[in-house]
Amino acid sequence: YLIEINFRFPSWIVLTEFARCNLPVALLREILFPGARPRSRVRVGSMYVRDVQEMGIPVACVRELRRSGSAQVPLAKPIRRRRGDLAVGVTGFSAFELTQPGLGVARCLRSAPEVGRVLGLAYTPNDTGLFRSELFDACCRLRFEHDEEKQQAGDAVLFDRLAAIRKKHGLDVAIPNLDFEIGRFQRIAPELERIGIRTLLPSPSARRKLGKRGLAELIGRRRWAGFDYPETMLIKSRSDLARAWERFGNPLILKGVFAGAARVFSLQQALVAWMRFKGEGETQVLAQPSLFGEEFGIGLVCDRAGSLIEALPMKKLLM
């Protein structure tokens, strides 16, 4: 079964560096030098084990970030900097409930000789991975509107913030790593390019076709590109949710159209999860039966024409 396609790096992306198939660096080099092909020799048998690290930071650093929108990371140890090298902005490193991919992307980029500074781009001053001094040279705040009516104005706000970050910290490349960011960064990509901030993002048509809603429409074909896709119902109301529970049974998987997923074990729990999705701006969710068995993930980088540049599969041992 093909479960889903995400248009950003997964949380296990740092495994690609361990396995000598560094996908964030491959993406960076495709942004900088389109058409060049890496020559990596993958180290088979590498494993990624997730860890949690606690740390203490000066509260003044958090206050400065809240007040001015950016702050220098309090260095525990010096970071090597190279004059004239790239500054790359990375998002997605809050770990309140899960490990997001930005931490792994930042670590992967640290091994690229082109990169002199890595900037952490956060949405709140308390994003938990923001003050990792071995990864980030500076931390900067962004702003995002989940309200669709405010999104057009929100695009302008995001552009202005990134322009200000470029002016202050020399931002050259932006790599967004959260589902809800991809469309917004893509919409302002031409303007970012104009001021010298480069990106490489999927087109709106690709996102529509291969996003969760698009893949759910494949159910009528059953097999697509050699894959089956799980049976799927679109949930718009409590009655839809009750029908999905009767149809798919226990446990049930609920997925936000834009981001997020929940495995629920009762109809009451399903209702709570559905209300949480609605509270986060998801007016519709997808319901699917639980699938059991071995699970694999494949991380890959494509060029602007959609051709494969580099890929690495992994077997997930624990969910």
Side-chain angles (χ1 to χ4, degrees), residues 30-47:
E30 178 62 21
I31 293 172
L32 300 175
F33 313 108
R37 291 294 180 266
R39 297 181 179 178
S40 60
R41 298 185 64 181
V42 175
R43 179 165 57 192
V44 177
S46 302
M47 178 180 287

Side-chain angles (χ1 to χ4, degrees), residues 13-305:
I13 194 63
V14 73
L15 175 66
T16 67
E17 182 197 11
F18 300 158
R20 297 178 184 155
C21 180
N22 195 320
L23 296 185
V25 172
L27 175 67
L28 176 67
R29 290 176 178 164
E30 178 62 21
I31 293 172
L32 300 175
F33 313 108
R37 291 294 180 266
R39 297 181 179 178
S40 60
R41 298 185 64 181
V42 175
R43 179 165 57 192
V44 177
S46 302
M47 178 180 287
Y48 165 60
V49 179
R50 180 170 294 172
D51 190 15
V52 175
Q53 185 177 17
E54 296 177 345
M55 59 189 178
I57 62 166
V59 70
C61 190
V62 179
R63 288 173 177 161
E64 174 65 18
L65 180 59
R66 181 179 291 115
R67 182 171 58 250
S68 68
S70 66
Q72 293 300 121
V73 177
L75 296 179
K77 54 185 178 182
I79 297 176
R80 281 197 312 162
R81 295 179 177 84
R82 304 172 183 83
R83 182 174 296 179
D85 278 351
L86 289 168
V88 183
V90 176
T91 71
F93 31 78
S94 171
F96 288 129
E97 293 184 0
L98 49 88
T99 301
Q100 293 178 337
L103 293 175
V105 172
R107 178 169 177 170
C108 287
L109 292 174
R110 278 290 173 200
S111 68
E114 299 93 334
V115 177
R117 283 162 294 136
V118 179
L119 310 178
L121 307 179
Y123 290 94
T124 76
N126 297 317
D127 276 357
T128 52
L130 186 58
F131 302 98
R132 293 281 293 270
S133 59
E134 77 280 15
L135 296 181
F136 301 112
D137 297 272
C139 42
C140 311
R141 286 187 70 185
L142 300 179
R143 180 181 169 188
F144 183 81
E145 289 287 356
H146 286 279
D147 188 332
E148 291 184 5
E149 295 181 358
K150 299 179 181 178
Q151 282 191 6
Q152 186 171 358
D155 288 354
V157 171
L158 176 61
F159 173 79
D160 289 343
R161 271 303 294 142
L162 292 170
I165 292 168
R166 173 169 171 77
K167 185 175 182 180
K168 184 171 183 178
H169 297 286
L171 177 62
D172 300 301
V173 177
I175 301 180
N177 294 291
L178 301 177
D179 293 303
F180 69 81
E181 301 173 309
I182 303 302
R184 171 146 298 174
F185 272 81
Q186 198 278 334
R187 288 195 297 272
I188 65 172
E191 290 298 302
L192 292 177
E193 185 85 22
R194 181 179 58 79
I195 64 171
I197 301 176
R198 286 167 282 186
T199 60
L200 180 55
L201 299 163
S203 68
S205 61
R207 289 173 46 245
R208 282 193 298 270
K209 180 179 179 181
L210 300 177
K212 293 177 184 176
R213 283 287 298 273
L215 289 177
E217 294 172 2
L218 299 174
I219 189 170
R221 294 187 246 170
R222 292 303 304 157
R223 292 192 65 80
W224 174 77
F227 288 98
D228 284 335
Y229 191 73
E231 291 187 84
T232 305
M233 288 182 62
L234 184 63
I235 306 302
K236 301 179 181 179
S237 65
R238 288 174 178 247
S239 57
D240 289 342
L241 190 58
R243 283 194 294 271
W245 180 260
E246 290 295 321
R247 177 177 172 183
F248 296 140
N250 178 8
L252 178 70
I253 302 296
L254 297 178
K255 291 182 178 180
V257 173
F258 297 106
R263 178 177 289 174
V264 296
F265 298 88
S266 70
L267 182 55
Q268 184 61 37
Q269 192 178 10
L271 288 168
V272 170
W274 180 59
M275 293 301 293
R276 190 195 75 206
F277 279 117
K278 289 184 67 176
E280 295 173 353
E282 297 268 15
T283 57
Q284 301 175 351
V285 299
L286 303 178
Q288 297 175 334
S290 290
L291 300 176
F292 298 94
E294 293 183 327
E295 184 170 347
F296 296 82
I298 301 175
L300 54 88
V301 175
C302 295
D303 63 17
R304 295 181 189 276

